[in-house]
Amino acid sequence: MKYDVEAYIADNPKAWALFVKFTQEAIAAGRKTIGAKMIAERIRWETMLRKNGDYKFNNNYTAGMARRFMEQYPQHDGLFVTRGAA
C-alpha cells in the first residue's frame, strides 16, 4: 500500500516540522546516518509524554518523510537508509 506523504504533511504540518527539527539536531550532533524510526519515536516522546499526549505520529509515513527530507536537503542524501522506491 502506498501512502501519500504530501497529503499527510499538509494535514499534519507539525509532524513535518518536528521531523525536520529532530533530524537537524541529529546532524548537528555529528550523526552521518540516522534511522527514520528513531526520529519518529523522538516525535512521540516529545509530543505524547512532554506535551500530555496531544498529538500522534503515524508510522505509515516515516519512510516517505525520510525520502522527502533527503530530497529537500540534498546535501544530506543518504542520511537515511531506504529500501527502494516508495
Side-chain angles (χ1 to χ4, degrees):
M1 175 180 264
K2 185 174 180 177
Y3 297 96
D4 186 350
V5 72
E6 296 301 327
Y8 178 74
I9 291 170
D11 290 341
N12 301 279
K14 180 179 178 181
W16 176 245
L18 289 173
F19 193 90
V20 170
K21 176 184 176 184
F22 297 147
T23 299
Q24 290 174 333
E25 285 180 8
I27 292 166
R31 299 294 305 188
K32 302 296 182 205
T33 59
I34 319 171
K37 295 281 269 183
M38 178 179 71
I39 301 299
E41 294 304 330
R42 171 91 191 272
I43 292 169
R44 285 191 181 93
W45 178 269
E46 296 294 334
T47 59
M48 296 178 89
L49 296 179
R50 294 184 184 212
K51 302 212 188 256
N52 300 318
D54 67 341
Y55 180 76
K56 293 185 180 180
F57 184 82
N58 190 325
N59 265 349
N60 294 336
Y61 301 97
T62 304
M65 293 177 96
R67 288 182 179 87
R68 186 177 197 256
F69 182 90
M70 292 186 295
E71 288 171 5
Q72 289 196 352
Y73 300 90
Q75 69 272 32
H76 299 298
D77 187 39
L79 178 70
F80 295 101
V81 176
T82 59
R83 294 184 191 171

